[in-house]
Amino acid sequence: MQPHVNEGTVSVHLARFLLEAVRRSGTSLGRFARLPDLDPEVLRDDLSRISSPTALVLWEQLTLTEPASAIGALITHHAPIGTFGIWDYLLTTGGNLVETIERAVAYLECIGDPAGEKLQTTEDGPHFTIRHTTGPWAPDVVEAIDIFALATFLTRARAATRRPVVPLRVTFTHRAPHQHRHLVEFFGTRTIEFNSPSNSLTLLDEDVRAPLPKAQPGLEKILMRHADLTLATSRPVLQWRDRFRATLIAALHEDTASLDHVAQRLAMSPRTLQRRLGDLGTNWREEIEAVRQEHTMDLLRTTDLPLQSIAARVGYSDVRALRRAVRRWEGRPPHALRQPTARSR
């Protein structure tokens, strides 16, 4: 397997799943039509790789639609085996769960962004633990992705073993919600700990070592060869300008939107980045202003997020800076741009 050849992208299977989850939430998909890597032709190609910032836009919409519902776990009810392509079969085909989970971790790139997602497995006596971390995005988006990752492993473990596997313990780095009934129902245990050092799912040895009922010796090698071929022939959709914009959007989410940092993410010097932008008739300041404006207007017109939250999401230090920027762009204050339809969602 070639590691990290698809940095900054996720599989088209994951993108299709997230887009469908957004559609099921009742949100119009029209606002996503402007995103070049969500074009229907792109989504029909199993070798397409979708930019991580585009995937984050979809995650953000899901958290805005269902802000207190443990959406990361709930959407997995609509993800039967095969939803995530070859990765699903790597995770459910083999001698036992120890083998399949470790293989799925090694081939994380088949579903997610190898630069943004990290998975680790450990064994401690009779316990087998999976740990997950993602990038420093907006807190509610990070929480949804962390829950989704652990929930996906559990649904696949249950499908592979054909048993109602119940974890010994589930932990999250996030603070406890006002109620976590949905999480208790999904994971099947009340032993869910918050404010923990890691996001983890701990399974019992008797579950992870039990022979899988449909094991077919040798099939996993065929699947691994297919996964290698898929990764080697996959195609990131975005061209250079779009990749730059996607990287800049991600940096704004991470609060690291400096010229040096973005240039480093694009594997070039700051001077080369400035020259490339100049060749396109633009510059760093104009690009960062354009991205902030586009994202701000989108959030103001389609969500009820407080101004403080919007300011943080688009990289402004406080609400006053956001208000000044909106007046500069639109000649009106932020509240004048909010639409009644956003409040009624």
Side-chain angles (χ1 to χ4, degrees):
M1 181 180 66
Q2 295 177 301
H4 308 316
V5 296
N6 291 305
E7 235 178 59
T9 67
V10 302
S11 79
V12 71
H13 300 281
L14 178 59
R16 287 193 295 234
F17 170 72
L18 293 174
L19 191 63
E20 177 61 18
V22 170
R23 186 196 63 77
R24 281 197 310 271
S25 74
T27 300
S28 169
L29 299 184
R31 62 179 290 236
F32 303 106
R34 60 179 172 78
L35 298 173
D37 43 356
L38 291 184
D39 181 271
E41 288 296 323
V42 170
L43 294 174
R44 279 194 285 270
D45 184 353
D46 283 351
L47 294 178
S48 295
R49 296 287 299 190
I50 310 306
S51 72
S52 295
T54 291
L56 288 170
V57 168
L58 298 175
W59 274 116
E60 184 175 64
Q61 180 59 48
L62 287 171
T63 61
L64 292 172
T65 304
E66 300 288 346
S69 67
I71 191 67
L74 295 180
I75 59 177
T76 62
H77 290 303
H78 300 278
I81 301 300
T83 298
F84 304 124
I86 188 67
W87 189 81
D88 266 347
Y89 299 108
L90 289 168
L91 181 50
T92 55
T93 302
N96 57 44
L97 286 180
V98 171
E99 295 177 13
T100 64
I101 290 173
E102 291 182 346
R103 190 178 308 123
V105 168
Y107 278 88
L108 170 64
E109 192 174 345
C110 285
I111 181 174
D113 180 351
E117 304 291 318
K118 305 298 178 187
L119 286 166
Q120 180 186 22
T121 62
T122 58
E123 293 187 67
D124 179 17
H127 304 152
F128 182 89
T129 299
I130 309 163
R131 292 184 173 83
H132 174 268
T133 59
T134 189
W137 321 112
D140 51 350
V141 173
V142 171
E143 181 177 359
I145 293 174
D146 286 332
I147 292 174
F148 170 75
L150 298 186
T152 299
F153 272 99
L154 184 59
T155 59
R156 272 61 190 148
R158 289 168 174 169
T161 59
R162 299 193 172 185
R163 296 191 309 182
V165 175
V166 175
L168 178 70
R169 181 173 62 255
V170 182
T171 69
F172 293 110
T173 59
H174 318 288
R175 66 176 184 272
H178 293 303
Q179 60 170 326
H180 53 280
R181 174 177 57 84
H182 291 308
L183 292 178
V184 170
E185 291 175 352
F186 179 87
F187 287 102
T189 178
R190 293 188 175 278
T191 311
I192 301 178
E193 303 167 11
F194 298 92
N195 296 312
S196 295
S198 64
N199 305 291
S200 70
L201 181 74
T202 298
L203 303 175
L204 290 172
D205 191 67
E206 61 191 61
D207 288 320
V208 298
R209 297 286 178 186
L212 298 186
K214 288 289 187 177
Q216 299 182 49
L219 180 57
E220 65 273 13
K221 293 181 180 178
I222 297 173
L223 293 173
M224 290 167 66
R225 285 198 294 270
H226 180 65
D228 287 334
L229 180 61
T230 298
L231 291 175
T233 55
S234 60
R235 298 186 294 272
V237 173
L238 301 185
Q239 300 302 311
W240 187 86
R241 175 73 174 272
D242 295 318
R243 284 195 295 113
F244 164 75
R245 281 286 185 96
T247 303
L248 180 54
I249 291 169
L252 283 171
H253 277 288
E254 298 169 20
D255 196 24
T256 56
S258 69
L259 176 64
D260 288 350
H261 177 79
V262 172
Q264 183 181 37
R265 291 278 292 268
L266 291 168
M268 62 179 63
S269 69
R271 180 175 295 181
T272 300
L273 174 54
Q274 289 175 314
R275 186 173 66 250
R276 291 288 297 271
L277 292 174
D279 291 342
L280 295 171
T282 184
N283 59 50
W284 169 259
R285 181 169 294 185
E286 288 178 1
E287 288 295 312
I288 198 167
E289 180 86 348
V291 168
R292 279 177 169 161
Q293 179 178 359
E294 183 177 4
H295 196 32
T296 299
M297 293 301 100
D298 194 29
L299 291 173
L300 283 173
R301 289 170 174 152
T302 63
T303 78
D304 284 326
L305 279 177
L307 294 185
Q308 184 65 52
S309 296
I310 293 177
R313 286 172 187 263
V314 299
Y316 284 112
S317 57
D318 54 38
V319 171
R320 288 182 299 175
L322 176 69
R323 288 197 178 104
R324 286 196 299 269
V326 172
R327 282 192 176 276
R328 185 171 66 252
W329 299 327
E330 301 289 328
R332 292 182 290 168
H335 69 81
L337 300 170
R338 309 213 86 157
Q339 297 181 2
T341 52
R343 301 188 188 93
S344 63
R345 281 197 182 100

